[in-house]
Amino acid sequence: MYEFQYHRPNSLEDAAKLFDAAGDPQYLAGGQTLIPVMKQRLAMPSDLIDIGRIGDLHGITADKNALTIGAMTTHAQVASCDKVRESIPALASLANHIGDPAVRNRGTLGGSIANNDPAADYPAALVALGASVQTTSREIAAEAFFTGLFETALEEGEMIVKVTFPVTDCAGYEKFPNPASRYATVGVFVARTKERVRVAVTGAGLSVFRAGDIEAALETDFSPDALDGISISADGLNSDLHASAEYRANLIIVLARRAAAKANAA
Amino acid sequence: MPQLSLSVNARPVSADVEPRCLLSNLLREHLGLTGTHIGCDTSQCGACVVLVDGKAIKSCTMFAHQAEGCEVTTIEGLAGEGTLHPMQEAFRDHHALQCGFCTPGMIMASVALARDNPALDEAAVCKGLEGNLCRCTGYQNIIRAVLAGAKSMRGKHDV
Ligand SMILES: Cc1cc2nc3c(=O)[nH]c(=O)nc-3n(C[C@H](O)[C@H](O)[C@H](O)COP(=O)(O)OP(=O)(O)OC[C@H]3O[C@@H](n4cnc5c(N)ncnc54)[C@H](O)[C@@H]3O)c2cc1C
Ligand code: FES
Ligand code: FES
């Protein structure tokens, strides 16, 4: 790993000042992606700004309409928080199946969505639940936030502060985990609010996307059987040593059925 | 070089280490606590798991400076004077190791798992140890040991 300067600000203002003053800085959250990438020398920041001790980035609040989770909240905290388990249980369950316990004890919501790995779990939840991302300068709707392969709408130096999830009637998430990393080979999040259904797919494309045909079928009949006869085109889907595009296309339907069944049971 | 202060196995420690020094390097190279093993150095194997403020984490995937002010417990910090920790005892009794390379990480992860889950069953042990790889045992005896160790931890206070 290349050398760098380390900073640990206690406020958003200090973090912004440090960022502006540094040559090629990067924020450090849980480090579960950034540290491995730095070891491979694929990232070589001049300065790491550790945002772990900034109070404004921590905490989970809930009211009857929405759940708000601070960017530095770890996957383990989301998984075990009663407020999350009561208002959006599918989100707690998703967090509980990211990586392994040690990864969940360090990795954070903010780090996961800032990184926007094509196989990450959280992007599917944000898009299906219609979440909004509050940054240090603005609010961004989830669908506008994830812009491409490892790309987001974040500008240079802009930091994610928290994410707000509107509470839904019911939701379910199912993934086919890579057996080694447990990243999603494919993951499908189904959410229903009033009569609207949103279905978001991760792991299958360059970035998370909504599955319109599945949404339409579930809006007519919110049951797994409503997906009988629907197929997804493999065009443009990821193909790698873990799974071909055709296999992923099929998984989308299989997992959507399971996610809908889970949402119905919730 | 920035100064770092933390507690390791209930002893205060200060060190002058580079920002890029990993917690695993601090423990092994600066403090001589070589019980924490480096299996992969790529966040995959769990041989380097230690407790930071009671939580199991991969010490190869945390900078030493991120542990400023924290309480770190390593495998060396578990045993009492002349007595093994119940989880260590259970690993010995159930033949839960062969080469022993994965064992420190397995035991630290298992201690955290047992503390956090008063009612552990086999499925919970398997899920709880997903981040710990063993190339030798086939895991069966590790699962038996963790269930037994968790049971004897419940019978004791302050473990
Ligand atoms: C073995 C292993 C298994 C894993 N399995 C899964 C899995 O199954 N599913 C899954 O989804 N993920 C998985 N991950 C990834 C894990 O969830 C990471 O925690 C996550 O991707 C990054 O979060 P972090 O807090 O560690 O961020 P870091 O590694 O600290 O940062 C990642 C990037 O985000 C930026 N960043 C961090 N916080 C902010 C912020 N608040 N504002 C702006 N930018 C920010 C950083 O600058 C950096 O570029 C796995 C990781 C490992 C090591
Ligand atoms: S050495 Fe840390 S996970 Fe393998
Ligand atoms: S006992 Fe050899 S790796 Fe587990």
Side-chain angles (χ1 to χ4, degrees):
Chain A
M1 188 183 305
Y2 294 107
E3 286 182 279
F4 58 87
Q5 302 283 319
Y6 174 83
H7 313 272
R8 192 172 44 234
N10 292 316
S11 69
L12 293 174
E13 299 70 48
D14 289 351
K17 274 187 211 141
L18 287 162
F19 198 99
D20 290 342
D24 189 9
Q26 215 166 334
Y27 295 126
L28 172 68
Q32 300 303 289
T33 294
L34 187 51
I35 295 175
V37 167
M38 288 174 66
K39 286 184 186 180
Q40 293 173 294
R41 296 190 165 186
L42 295 172
M44 46 197 91
S46 64
D47 294 73
L48 274 194
I49 302 170
D50 181 353
I51 58 174
R53 310 230 177 155
I54 300 178
D56 290 344
L57 302 178
H58 289 269
I60 301 178
T61 56
D63 59 33
K64 65 181 195 317
N65 299 319
L67 179 71
T68 299
I69 304 180
M72 269 309 302
T73 310
T74 63
H75 310 327
Q77 287 165 339
V78 172
S80 64
C81 174
D82 287 339
K83 288 176 219 162
V84 183
R85 289 158 81 142
E86 275 156 31
S87 58
I88 314 180
L91 190 63
S93 163
L94 174 148
N96 197 35
H97 288 86
I98 294 176
D100 57 59
V103 168
R104 293 195 287 275
N105 279 334
R106 297 290 306 158
T108 67
L109 170 61
S112 176
I113 63 172
N115 194 48
N116 195 19
D117 189 297
D121 295 297
Y122 270 126
L126 267 74
V127 169
L129 292 168
S132 71
V133 180
Q134 177 74 55
T135 74
T136 36
S137 55
R138 60 195 165 135
E139 196 157 321
I140 311 171
E143 264 178 283
F145 181 84
F146 301 106
T147 53
L149 184 70
F150 293 108
E151 294 287 337
T152 68
L154 289 174
E155 307 275 358
E156 179 79 5
E158 186 175 5
M159 197 196 300
I160 301 159
V161 177
K162 56 192 176 188
V163 179
T164 298
F165 300 87
V167 171
T168 45
D169 297 344
C170 63
Y173 178 64
E174 272 286 312
K175 74 168 156 177
F176 188 78
N178 175 304
S181 69
R182 278 161 295 277
Y183 270 105
T185 304
V186 174
V188 179
F189 202 109
V190 171
R192 190 182 68 176
T193 314
K194 299 200 177 73
E195 296 313 306
R196 295 305 318 268
V197 175
R198 291 163 66 102
V199 176
V201 180
T202 189
L206 293 181
S207 179
V208 59
F209 61 86
R210 280 175 69 182
D213 290 355
I214 299 179
E215 290 181 354
L218 289 176
E219 263 173 23
T220 314
D221 170 15
F222 194 68
S223 83
D225 294 342
L227 303 183
D228 285 351
I230 292 186
S231 65
I232 298 276
S233 162
D235 288 350
L237 296 189
N238 300 338
S239 197
D240 54 33
L241 82 154
H242 304 297
S244 65
E246 290 73 20
Y247 188 74
R248 283 190 163 90
N250 189 60
L251 270 181
I252 293 173
I253 297 293
V254 171
L255 296 171
R257 292 179 70 104
R258 292 185 193 166
K262 261 193 176 172
N264 267 304
Chain B
M1 214 54 66
Q3 180 79 18
L4 164 68
S5 309
L6 70 170
S7 143
V8 177
N9 297 332
R11 286 205 330 268
V13 165
S14 327
D16 264 338
V17 293
E18 283 189 70
R20 64 180 163 175
C21 175
L22 298 164
L23 181 58
S24 52
N25 300 140
L26 174 78
L27 295 170
R28 291 177 54 83
E29 287 156 31
H30 296 263
L31 304 178
L33 297 170
T34 52
T36 297
H37 288 171
I38 310 297
C40 64
D41 211 8
T42 58
S43 323
Q44 307 292 324
C45 76
C48 65
V49 167
V50 301
L51 307 185
V52 174
D53 290 341
K55 307 243 180 275
I57 62 96
K58 293 174 181 172
S59 62
C60 77
T61 316
M62 179 170 180
F63 292 116
H65 282 280
Q66 288 179 285
E68 165 72 36
C70 295
E71 286 183 18
V72 177
T73 309
T74 70
I75 189 75
E76 290 91 343
L78 283 187
E81 201 68 50
T83 50
L84 291 180
H85 182 278
M87 194 58 80
Q88 292 175 304
E89 194 76 57
F91 268 63
R92 189 170 70 175
D93 291 348
H94 291 267
H95 191 57
L97 57 143
Q98 289 176 24
C99 80
F101 196 84
C102 68
T103 312
M106 285 283 179
I107 291 182
M108 298 315 290
S110 301
V111 167
L113 186 66
R115 281 182 188 156
D116 293 349
N117 299 274
L120 267 190
D121 58 11
E122 182 173 333
V125 174
C126 292
K127 185 168 189 302
L129 294 182
E130 273 179 341
N132 294 78
L133 303 182
C134 175
R135 301 280 82 176
C136 303
T137 63
Y139 300 100
Q140 297 301 325
N141 285 354
I142 293 178
I143 296 165
R144 284 188 195 111
V146 177
L147 290 170
K151 204 167 154 198
S152 57
M153 278 171 67
R154 281 201 294 280
K156 301 196 166 125
H157 298 291
D158 291 334
V159 284

Short mmCIF file of all heavy atoms in Angstrom, two decimals, chain A residues 32-33 35-37 39-40 99-103 178-183 242, chain B residues 37-49 57-61 102 106 129-135 139:
data_model
loop_
_atom_site.label_atom_id
_atom_site.label_comp_id
_atom_site.label_asym_id
_atom_site.label_seq_id
_atom_site.Cartn_x
_atom_site.Cartn_y
_atom_site.Cartn_z
N GLN A 32 -14.04 -1.53 4.39
CA GLN A 32 -14.13 -2.94 3.94
C GLN A 32 -14.01 -3.07 2.43
O GLN A 32 -13.78 -4.16 1.91
CB GLN A 32 -15.44 -3.58 4.42
CG GLN A 32 -15.58 -3.59 5.93
CD GLN A 32 -14.43 -4.29 6.62
OE1 GLN A 32 -14.31 -5.51 6.54
NE2 GLN A 32 -13.56 -3.54 7.29
N THR A 33 -14.13 -1.98 1.72
CA THR A 33 -13.83 -1.98 0.29
C THR A 33 -12.55 -1.19 0.03
O THR A 33 -11.66 -1.64 -0.68
CB THR A 33 -15.00 -1.35 -0.51
OG1 THR A 33 -16.14 -2.21 -0.37
CG2 THR A 33 -14.66 -1.21 -1.98
N ILE A 35 -9.89 -0.38 1.91
CA ILE A 35 -8.59 -0.91 2.35
C ILE A 35 -8.12 -2.04 1.41
O ILE A 35 -6.97 -2.00 0.94
CB ILE A 35 -8.62 -1.33 3.84
CG1 ILE A 35 -8.84 -0.07 4.71
CG2 ILE A 35 -7.32 -2.05 4.24
CD1 ILE A 35 -9.00 -0.35 6.20
N PRO A 36 -8.98 -3.03 1.08
CA PRO A 36 -8.52 -4.02 0.10
C PRO A 36 -8.10 -3.39 -1.24
O PRO A 36 -7.11 -3.82 -1.84
CB PRO A 36 -9.75 -4.93 -0.10
CG PRO A 36 -10.51 -4.80 1.18
CD PRO A 36 -10.29 -3.39 1.66
N VAL A 37 -8.80 -2.37 -1.68
CA VAL A 37 -8.46 -1.72 -2.97
C VAL A 37 -7.12 -1.00 -2.85
O VAL A 37 -6.30 -1.02 -3.78
CB VAL A 37 -9.60 -0.76 -3.39
CG1 VAL A 37 -9.17 0.15 -4.51
CG2 VAL A 37 -10.83 -1.55 -3.79
N LYS A 39 -4.71 -1.90 -0.82
CA LYS A 39 -3.67 -2.93 -0.76
C LYS A 39 -3.27 -3.38 -2.16
O LYS A 39 -2.12 -3.68 -2.42
CB LYS A 39 -4.17 -4.15 0.03
CG LYS A 39 -4.26 -3.96 1.52
CD LYS A 39 -4.67 -5.28 2.16
CE LYS A 39 -4.93 -5.13 3.64
NZ LYS A 39 -5.33 -6.42 4.23
N GLN A 40 -4.26 -3.42 -3.04
CA GLN A 40 -3.97 -3.82 -4.43
C GLN A 40 -3.36 -2.68 -5.24
O GLN A 40 -3.08 -2.85 -6.42
CB GLN A 40 -5.27 -4.26 -5.13
CG GLN A 40 -5.85 -5.53 -4.57
CD GLN A 40 -7.21 -5.79 -5.19
OE1 GLN A 40 -8.17 -5.05 -4.98
NE2 GLN A 40 -7.30 -6.83 -5.99
N GLY A 99 -22.03 -10.08 3.33
CA GLY A 99 -20.72 -10.62 3.74
C GLY A 99 -20.82 -11.55 4.93
O GLY A 99 -21.58 -12.51 4.93
N ASP A 100 -20.03 -11.26 5.95
CA ASP A 100 -19.97 -12.10 7.15
C ASP A 100 -19.98 -11.17 8.36
O ASP A 100 -19.93 -9.95 8.20
CB ASP A 100 -18.70 -12.96 7.10
CG ASP A 100 -17.44 -12.11 6.97
OD1 ASP A 100 -17.19 -11.25 7.84
OD2 ASP A 100 -16.71 -12.28 5.98
N PRO A 101 -20.06 -11.74 9.59
CA PRO A 101 -20.21 -10.86 10.76
C PRO A 101 -19.12 -9.79 10.89
O PRO A 101 -19.42 -8.64 11.25
CB PRO A 101 -20.15 -11.84 11.94
CG PRO A 101 -20.64 -13.13 11.39
CD PRO A 101 -20.16 -13.17 9.96
N ALA A 102 -17.88 -10.12 10.58
CA ALA A 102 -16.80 -9.14 10.74
C ALA A 102 -16.95 -8.01 9.72
O ALA A 102 -16.72 -6.84 10.04
CB ALA A 102 -15.43 -9.83 10.61
N VAL A 103 -17.34 -8.34 8.51
CA VAL A 103 -17.60 -7.31 7.49
C VAL A 103 -18.78 -6.44 7.94
O VAL A 103 -18.75 -5.20 7.82
CB VAL A 103 -17.88 -7.96 6.11
CG1 VAL A 103 -18.44 -6.94 5.12
CG2 VAL A 103 -16.61 -8.60 5.56
N ASN A 178 -23.01 -15.13 -4.03
CA ASN A 178 -21.76 -15.78 -4.41
C ASN A 178 -21.30 -16.55 -3.18
O ASN A 178 -21.24 -15.99 -2.09
CB ASN A 178 -20.75 -14.69 -4.79
CG ASN A 178 -19.39 -15.27 -5.09
OD1 ASN A 178 -18.80 -15.96 -4.27
ND2 ASN A 178 -18.88 -15.00 -6.26
N PRO A 179 -20.99 -17.85 -3.33
CA PRO A 179 -20.71 -18.63 -2.13
C PRO A 179 -19.45 -18.19 -1.38
O PRO A 179 -19.31 -18.48 -0.18
CB PRO A 179 -20.56 -20.07 -2.65
CG PRO A 179 -20.40 -19.96 -4.12
CD PRO A 179 -20.99 -18.65 -4.56
N ALA A 180 -18.54 -17.50 -2.02
CA ALA A 180 -17.32 -17.07 -1.32
C ALA A 180 -17.53 -15.71 -0.64
O ALA A 180 -17.28 -15.56 0.54
CB ALA A 180 -16.15 -17.00 -2.29
N SER A 181 -18.01 -14.72 -1.39
CA SER A 181 -18.08 -13.36 -0.82
C SER A 181 -19.46 -13.02 -0.28
O SER A 181 -19.60 -12.11 0.53
CB SER A 181 -17.75 -12.34 -1.91
OG SER A 181 -18.80 -12.30 -2.87
N ARG A 182 -20.45 -13.73 -0.76
CA ARG A 182 -21.86 -13.48 -0.46
C ARG A 182 -22.40 -12.18 -1.10
O ARG A 182 -23.52 -11.76 -0.82
CB ARG A 182 -22.17 -13.55 1.04
CG ARG A 182 -22.36 -15.02 1.43
CD ARG A 182 -22.23 -15.28 2.88
NE ARG A 182 -20.91 -15.02 3.36
CZ ARG A 182 -19.88 -15.87 3.29
NH1 ARG A 182 -20.04 -17.05 2.74
NH2 ARG A 182 -18.70 -15.54 3.75
N TYR A 183 -21.60 -11.54 -1.95
CA TYR A 183 -22.17 -10.50 -2.82
C TYR A 183 -23.26 -11.15 -3.67
O TYR A 183 -23.26 -12.38 -3.87
CB TYR A 183 -21.09 -9.97 -3.78
CG TYR A 183 -20.29 -8.79 -3.26
CD1 TYR A 183 -18.99 -8.94 -2.82
CD2 TYR A 183 -20.83 -7.51 -3.26
CE1 TYR A 183 -18.24 -7.86 -2.38
CE2 TYR A 183 -20.11 -6.42 -2.83
CZ TYR A 183 -18.81 -6.59 -2.39
OH TYR A 183 -18.08 -5.53 -1.96
N HIS A 242 -18.92 -16.75 -12.71
CA HIS A 242 -19.90 -17.21 -11.73
C HIS A 242 -21.24 -17.55 -12.37
O HIS A 242 -21.92 -18.46 -11.92
CB HIS A 242 -20.12 -16.13 -10.65
CG HIS A 242 -18.86 -15.74 -9.97
ND1 HIS A 242 -18.12 -16.63 -9.24
CD2 HIS A 242 -18.19 -14.57 -9.94
CE1 HIS A 242 -17.04 -16.02 -8.76
NE2 HIS A 242 -17.05 -14.76 -9.18
N HIS B 37 -3.32 -14.27 13.35
CA HIS B 37 -2.67 -14.76 12.13
C HIS B 37 -3.12 -13.99 10.89
O HIS B 37 -4.23 -13.50 10.84
CB HIS B 37 -3.01 -16.25 11.94
CG HIS B 37 -2.31 -17.14 12.92
ND1 HIS B 37 -2.60 -18.48 13.06
CD2 HIS B 37 -1.32 -16.86 13.82
CE1 HIS B 37 -1.81 -18.99 14.00
NE2 HIS B 37 -1.04 -18.03 14.48
N ILE B 38 -2.23 -13.93 9.91
CA ILE B 38 -2.56 -13.35 8.61
C ILE B 38 -2.64 -14.51 7.62
O ILE B 38 -1.61 -15.06 7.23
CB ILE B 38 -1.47 -12.37 8.12
CG1 ILE B 38 -1.11 -11.35 9.19
CG2 ILE B 38 -1.92 -11.67 6.84
CD1 ILE B 38 -2.25 -10.45 9.60
N GLY B 39 -3.85 -14.87 7.22
CA GLY B 39 -4.01 -15.97 6.28
C GLY B 39 -4.00 -15.48 4.85
O GLY B 39 -3.26 -15.98 4.01
N CYS B 40 -4.82 -14.48 4.56
CA CYS B 40 -5.00 -14.05 3.17
C CYS B 40 -4.56 -12.60 2.96
O CYS B 40 -4.14 -12.24 1.88
CB CYS B 40 -6.47 -14.18 2.79
SG CYS B 40 -7.57 -13.11 3.74
N ASP B 41 -4.71 -11.78 3.99
CA ASP B 41 -4.47 -10.34 3.89
C ASP B 41 -5.38 -9.69 2.85
O ASP B 41 -5.11 -8.61 2.37
CB ASP B 41 -2.98 -10.06 3.58
CG ASP B 41 -2.51 -8.73 4.19
OD1 ASP B 41 -3.28 -8.13 4.96
OD2 ASP B 41 -1.39 -8.30 3.86
N THR B 42 -6.47 -10.36 2.48
CA THR B 42 -7.41 -9.79 1.51
C THR B 42 -8.85 -9.82 2.04
O THR B 42 -9.80 -9.86 1.25
CB THR B 42 -7.35 -10.54 0.17
OG1 THR B 42 -7.66 -11.92 0.41
CG2 THR B 42 -6.00 -10.44 -0.50
N SER B 43 -9.02 -9.85 3.35
CA SER B 43 -10.35 -9.74 3.98
C SER B 43 -11.24 -10.96 3.79
O SER B 43 -12.44 -10.87 3.99
CB SER B 43 -11.12 -8.51 3.47
OG SER B 43 -10.26 -7.42 3.26
N GLN B 44 -10.67 -12.07 3.40
CA GLN B 44 -11.51 -13.23 3.07
C GLN B 44 -11.53 -14.31 4.15
O GLN B 44 -12.54 -14.99 4.31
CB GLN B 44 -10.97 -13.91 1.78
CG GLN B 44 -10.80 -13.00 0.60
CD GLN B 44 -12.11 -12.49 0.05
OE1 GLN B 44 -13.11 -13.21 0.03
NE2 GLN B 44 -12.14 -11.24 -0.37
N CYS B 45 -10.41 -14.55 4.87
CA CYS B 45 -10.27 -15.82 5.59
C CYS B 45 -10.61 -15.77 7.07
O CYS B 45 -10.87 -16.80 7.68
CB CYS B 45 -8.85 -16.34 5.42
SG CYS B 45 -7.63 -15.46 6.45
N GLY B 46 -10.53 -14.61 7.69
CA GLY B 46 -10.90 -14.49 9.10
C GLY B 46 -9.84 -14.95 10.10
O GLY B 46 -10.08 -14.91 11.31
N ALA B 47 -8.65 -15.36 9.64
CA ALA B 47 -7.61 -15.79 10.58
C ALA B 47 -7.17 -14.64 11.49
O ALA B 47 -6.64 -14.86 12.58
CB ALA B 47 -6.40 -16.34 9.83
N CYS B 48 -7.39 -13.41 11.03
CA CYS B 48 -6.92 -12.22 11.74
C CYS B 48 -7.98 -11.60 12.64
O CYS B 48 -7.79 -10.49 13.14
CB CYS B 48 -6.49 -11.18 10.71
SG CYS B 48 -7.90 -10.61 9.72
N VAL B 49 -9.10 -12.29 12.86
CA VAL B 49 -10.20 -11.68 13.63
C VAL B 49 -9.78 -11.43 15.08
O VAL B 49 -9.20 -12.30 15.73
CB VAL B 49 -11.48 -12.56 13.59
CG1 VAL B 49 -12.50 -12.11 14.63
CG2 VAL B 49 -12.11 -12.52 12.20
N ILE B 57 -13.84 -8.24 14.33
CA ILE B 57 -13.50 -7.53 13.09
C ILE B 57 -12.24 -8.17 12.50
O ILE B 57 -11.47 -8.82 13.20
CB ILE B 57 -13.28 -6.02 13.32
CG1 ILE B 57 -12.11 -5.76 14.27
CG2 ILE B 57 -14.52 -5.34 13.87
CD1 ILE B 57 -10.83 -5.49 13.59
N LYS B 58 -12.03 -7.95 11.20
CA LYS B 58 -10.83 -8.48 10.55
C LYS B 58 -9.72 -7.44 10.71
O LYS B 58 -9.80 -6.35 10.13
CB LYS B 58 -11.12 -8.75 9.07
CG LYS B 58 -12.11 -9.90 8.90
CD LYS B 58 -12.54 -10.12 7.46
CE LYS B 58 -13.55 -11.26 7.40
NZ LYS B 58 -14.15 -11.43 6.06
N SER B 59 -8.69 -7.79 11.48
CA SER B 59 -7.67 -6.79 11.81
C SER B 59 -6.79 -6.46 10.61
O SER B 59 -6.07 -5.46 10.63
CB SER B 59 -6.82 -7.25 13.00
OG SER B 59 -6.13 -8.44 12.68
N CYS B 60 -6.86 -7.28 9.53
CA CYS B 60 -6.12 -6.94 8.32
C CYS B 60 -6.89 -5.92 7.49
O CYS B 60 -6.40 -5.46 6.47
CB CYS B 60 -5.85 -8.18 7.47
SG CYS B 60 -7.29 -8.74 6.53
N THR B 61 -8.12 -5.58 7.92
CA THR B 61 -8.95 -4.67 7.14
C THR B 61 -9.38 -3.50 8.01
O THR B 61 -10.51 -3.02 7.94
CB THR B 61 -10.14 -5.44 6.52
OG1 THR B 61 -9.65 -6.68 5.99
CG2 THR B 61 -10.80 -4.66 5.39
N CYS B 102 -6.10 -21.39 11.50
CA CYS B 102 -7.35 -20.61 11.51
C CYS B 102 -7.86 -20.39 12.93
O CYS B 102 -8.78 -19.60 13.15
CB CYS B 102 -8.43 -21.34 10.72
SG CYS B 102 -8.98 -22.88 11.50
N MET B 106 -10.97 -18.19 14.52
CA MET B 106 -12.19 -18.97 14.80
C MET B 106 -12.63 -18.73 16.24
O MET B 106 -13.83 -18.54 16.51
CB MET B 106 -11.91 -20.48 14.64
CG MET B 106 -11.80 -20.94 13.23
SD MET B 106 -13.44 -21.08 12.48
CE MET B 106 -12.95 -21.62 10.84
N LEU B 129 -19.97 -18.11 11.47
CA LEU B 129 -18.56 -18.34 11.11
C LEU B 129 -18.35 -18.31 9.60
O LEU B 129 -17.33 -18.79 9.09
CB LEU B 129 -18.07 -19.68 11.69
CG LEU B 129 -18.00 -19.74 13.23
CD1 LEU B 129 -17.46 -21.10 13.68
CD2 LEU B 129 -17.12 -18.63 13.79
N GLU B 130 -19.29 -17.68 8.88
CA GLU B 130 -19.16 -17.61 7.41
C GLU B 130 -17.88 -16.90 6.98
O GLU B 130 -17.35 -17.18 5.92
CB GLU B 130 -20.37 -16.91 6.80
CG GLU B 130 -21.51 -17.86 6.52
CD GLU B 130 -22.74 -17.19 5.93
OE1 GLU B 130 -22.86 -15.95 6.06
OE2 GLU B 130 -23.57 -17.89 5.34
N GLY B 131 -17.38 -16.01 7.81
CA GLY B 131 -16.18 -15.27 7.43
C GLY B 131 -14.89 -15.93 7.89
O GLY B 131 -13.83 -15.31 7.80
N ASN B 132 -14.95 -17.15 8.40
CA ASN B 132 -13.75 -17.83 8.89
C ASN B 132 -13.54 -19.12 8.12
O ASN B 132 -14.37 -20.03 8.17
CB ASN B 132 -13.89 -18.14 10.38
CG ASN B 132 -13.93 -16.89 11.22
OD1 ASN B 132 -14.97 -16.22 11.30
ND2 ASN B 132 -12.82 -16.54 11.81
N LEU B 133 -12.42 -19.19 7.41
CA LEU B 133 -12.14 -20.38 6.60
C LEU B 133 -11.18 -21.30 7.32
O LEU B 133 -10.23 -20.85 7.97
CB LEU B 133 -11.53 -19.97 5.25
CG LEU B 133 -12.38 -19.02 4.39
CD1 LEU B 133 -11.66 -18.75 3.07
CD2 LEU B 133 -13.76 -19.59 4.14
N CYS B 134 -11.41 -22.61 7.19
CA CYS B 134 -10.49 -23.62 7.71
C CYS B 134 -10.18 -24.58 6.58
O CYS B 134 -11.09 -25.11 5.95
CB CYS B 134 -11.14 -24.38 8.87
SG CYS B 134 -10.08 -25.72 9.44
N ARG B 135 -8.89 -24.77 6.31
CA ARG B 135 -8.49 -25.66 5.22
C ARG B 135 -8.33 -27.10 5.68
O ARG B 135 -8.08 -27.98 4.88
CB ARG B 135 -7.16 -25.18 4.61
CG ARG B 135 -7.18 -23.78 4.06
CD ARG B 135 -7.81 -23.70 2.69
NE ARG B 135 -9.26 -23.65 2.75
CZ ARG B 135 -10.05 -23.50 1.71
NH1 ARG B 135 -9.55 -23.37 0.51
NH2 ARG B 135 -11.36 -23.49 1.84
N TYR B 139 -14.78 -28.51 9.36
CA TYR B 139 -15.71 -27.68 10.17
C TYR B 139 -16.55 -28.44 11.20
O TYR B 139 -17.06 -27.82 12.14
CB TYR B 139 -16.65 -26.85 9.28
CG TYR B 139 -15.93 -25.88 8.37
CD1 TYR B 139 -15.71 -26.17 7.04
CD2 TYR B 139 -15.43 -24.67 8.86
CE1 TYR B 139 -15.03 -25.29 6.20
CE2 TYR B 139 -14.75 -23.79 8.03
CZ TYR B 139 -14.56 -24.10 6.70
OH TYR B 139 -13.89 -23.24 5.89
#
